[in-house]
Amino acid sequence: MGYVIAFMVLPVAIIATYSFFQRGQYGGIVYSLTLDNFARALDSLYVGILGTSVALSSTVTLLALLIGFPTALAITKLQPQHQNIALVLVILPFWTNFLIRTYAWIVLLSSEGLLNQGLLGLGIISDPLALLYTPGAVVMGLLYAYLPLMVLPIYAALSRIDPSLREAAIDLGASRFTALRQVVFPLAIPGTLVGCVFVFVPSVGNFIVPELLGGGKTVMVGNLIRDQFLKARDWPFGSVLAIAMVVMLVLLFALQARITKRVLGQG
Amino acid sequence: MSRTTISLSVLVGSTLFLGACATGGGSEPLDPNADLSAQNLVVSNWAGYYPEDLATAFEEAVGSSMTITNHATNEEIMAKLTAGGDSGIDIAFVSGQFAQALANQDLIYELDKSLIPNLANLAPEADNLSYDPGNKFSVPYAWGTTGICYRSDLMAGNEPTSWMDLLRPDDMYKGKVTALATERWLMLPAQKALGYSVNTQDEGEMNEVKDLLLEAKGNLLAYDDTTFYSRLVSGEAVMTVAWDGWCNYGTIENPDIKFVVPSEGSDLWVDTMVVLKSSKNKEAAHAFINFILEPTNHAWVAENILYKVPNQAAMDAVLPGLVGDFPNMGFTAAQLLGYEGLVDLGNAAALYTRLATEITSG
């Protein structure tokens, strides 16, 4: 309990306090109360950036789900000892620094990079494709970074399902697909939602990928907050944006908990 | 032994008290005979912007012990210095416009020039810099300008001469151009192309600047403050907005990488050393600045990181060996003074920040 207060409640409380004060001309906080920072956050410029972030992160989450669910399902079909190897392979990228993995994508995708040079060499394309420094590259980088966070909770949910339930469905005449759709998938919904939240949350706050793979041409809310603290020296406004993110994520968790409860209640 | 020395220096110091007051160097008098070995200096500088053995060399030469901490950006060190209280830092390396802001906030010490005799090594032009005329609060460490760093072989016959060549590139160069993202230099190409000051606070002018930069963004490969020269080496980019010194890093690897200051002009940026008012080691801090201004020490910057230094003696010593390979090292002090000095924007900084967000997110 003590560390929850020290490491979670206090920092958020400090940020929340900052958001009601004014910025000093050269940084820091001037302790006179104002609500201007909140009004500013509703400016279409910043709402637009939030919209971009949510749209990109939702795309990432959806793609992670489409790739992650079949991957997790396939792993549960393996022999137990092979399952462990497969899970280690899923986590393996985390053993390398995130920044280095992101730079690796630059080496792969740049116009002088491996992919373009390979395609040029094979005569498939005549001019290098502009793969890097696009919103697509940002989605690609985030998807790659957070896909394991989708696979693991879905795997955990799937491996907990009693195999006899699926066998019973098939014995009663359901096709394999129907059994998957009507028996396995509903039982995996809570784990799937956890995976979606795990992917969406870090994606929406990420600022390294938009900077490196987006070439600084795509601004996400994480970049905006980072810039308020490190470049614009506007801590109060940065705090408002950070608080807005926290509120949004709490709502997201509440939604996830509610859906999970409903699904389990029906089961 | 050391205790006797300290009490002795306190004595000497108090006898000099009146004299120092009369010269009016700063808010409190400095003791020219202070025991420097009793002072422990903390210096904050950009990583890689000083020799690795600087602390040891300074300790050997002057006697004070020294700790060097690094900051990545002006903004980062400004946050530390303006947070209130004693930052524990004695000397900070900041760009000129930030030294000006620190002086306006009364956070830096008005230098006692009698303790920095090596100021005489500075080029005469370096005494007349717009952010701090007469170098009252800051001493210039390195200076330069911003221009276009480009691949002369890939742009043969079309070498850029105007900022517009970069902002509205020919079709064949579209998508092969990078720009700087740090606010002041993000704005600079368009400000100069439109004939405005790099320090303009006029909202109408800045809106035109924004429109031009939004148009230019469509042809950009990326915003890049740190690796643009390697993009030129790989051929991924043919033309980049670049600081002169950084362009040289590309030239080392490929002599076809050249630097030009467009005809509309550019900025004069200066990185400076300042002594914090909160410092308890001001005598050692002055000794440090004096140490850096030794031609052999100051020449390190020019020789190793290929930035120009405002130290005439240092440049005279190293220039003959460098100017052949790196022509922009030969820019004279007078030439640099012909460009527009960056000064602090005060309250207009918020306008620049907002427009920068509109541009990069637009």
Side-chain angles (χ1 to χ4, degrees), chain A residues 23 25-28 40 43-46 49 52 103 106 110-112 132-133 211-212 214-219 224 227-233 235, chain B residues 73 75-76 78-79 82-83 98 101 104-105 181 183 217 220-223 227 231 234-236 344-347 349-350 353-354 357-358 360-362:
Chain A
R23 65 173 287 207
Q25 195 183 338
Y26 299 106
R40 219 179 121 198
D43 190 311
S44 62
L45 173 62
Y46 306 114
I49 291 174
T52 310
Y103 268 105
I106 298 182
S110 82
S111 66
E112 304 295 318
L132 203 52
Y133 314 123
E211 191 157 299
L212 292 182
K217 293 190 291 182
T218 306
V219 174
L224 191 59
D227 287 354
Q228 297 311 312
F229 282 92
L230 294 183
K231 291 187 179 170
R233 284 169 283 149
W235 295 7
Chain B
T73 59
E75 285 78 8
E76 187 187 332
M78 286 297 279
T82 57
F98 290 89
N104 287 341
Q105 295 213 79
E183 273 168 36
K217 186 186 173 187
L220 281 188
L221 174 68
Y223 291 107
T227 59
R231 294 180 196 280
S234 74
E236 203 187 343
D344 182 50
L345 294 169
N347 286 322
T353 301
R354 190 197 155 85
T357 308
E358 285 187 35
T360 51
S361 70

Side-chain angles (χ1 to χ4, degrees), chain A residues 57-115:
Chain A
S57 307
S58 303
T59 313
V60 170
T61 310
L62 186 68
L63 290 172
L65 179 62
L66 290 177
I67 301 171
F69 196 94
T71 309
L73 192 63
I75 294 176
T76 59
K77 305 277 181 201
L78 297 172
Q79 298 291 326
Q81 69 270 30
H82 292 156
Q83 289 192 18
N84 283 333
I85 297 173
L87 288 175
V88 169
L89 289 177
V90 169
I91 313 170
L92 199 66
F94 283 133
W95 295 1
T96 309
N97 182 288
F98 177 62
L99 216 53
I100 294 173
R101 284 184 282 140
T102 307
Y103 268 105
W105 279 101
I106 298 182
V107 175
L108 279 173
L109 296 180
S110 82
S111 66
E112 304 295 318
L114 294 175
L115 190 61

